[in-house]
Structures are given as structure tokens and as C-alpha cells.
Amino acid sequence: YYKVAEKNNNQTEEGKELGLTTLRRVGKDDLVAMFSDYSNIKPSAHNIRQSSSPTCYLIGNKVYASNTYEPDTELTIDYGKI
């Protein structure tokens, strides 16, 4: 197991706080996170923020990278598609 992401306390250029970001380069379809409780997958309960152009997708409780990303890329999901 390699830690690939963590909560980032930095802010975007627009002044919004970042959520979960990559620590290293991750490849397309790499497992980047996992929800412990599938019944509680919602933006208010996790550090992976909502986006209509997400950088990740979900299969079951596992979160995978939608593309290859460099370090410090914010991980996002479209919670509306869950």
C-alpha cells in the first residue's frame, strides 16, 4: 500500500480550500482512495470535493484516477452520478 493522496490545506487561486490532492504522480485508473462506508458517500462527509468535471470515478467504494495526474492535483468526484 502506497499513500497517494492527502488533505491539502492550501487554497486555489479563487481562494477556495483544496480537498484531497495527489502526493505523487498517479496513472489513469490508479486506485487513489477508498471510502470506508459506502452508504455515507457524500461531499459533506469527505475531503474529496464535488465537481461536474471530476478527476476521479467511483466503483463500489473505491476511487480511481480518470487520467494521469501530477503531484498536487486535486481529486474530485461528481457525487450526482453516484
Side-chain angles (χ1 to χ4, degrees):
Y1 167 75
Y2 294 98
K3 186 175 181 181
V4 297
E6 71 180 2
K7 174 72 173 88
N8 187 324
N9 292 319
N10 293 330
Q11 293 186 345
T12 66
E13 291 178 10
E14 296 82 26
K16 295 182 180 178
E17 186 175 310
L18 291 171
L20 203 64
T21 59
T22 57
L23 293 171
R24 61 176 175 83
R25 187 173 198 255
V26 295
K28 181 178 180 173
D29 301 321
D30 280 357
L31 177 67
V32 294
M34 205 166 10
F35 292 106
S36 59
D37 182 2
Y38 184 76
S39 65
N40 193 32
I41 298 176
K42 56 188 175 186
S44 61
H46 302 285
N47 290 320
I48 301 177
R49 294 180 353 133
Q50 159 66 27
S51 175
S52 58
S53 300
T55 57
C56 299
Y57 62 94
L58 192 69
I59 297 178
N61 68 328
K62 296 178 181 175
V63 181
Y64 296 91
S66 299
N67 210 329
T68 298
Y69 300 111
E70 297 302 320
D72 296 323
T73 300
E74 185 173 23
L75 302 177
T76 58
I77 290 177
D78 185 346
Y79 286 92
K81 293 186 176 182
I82 294 176

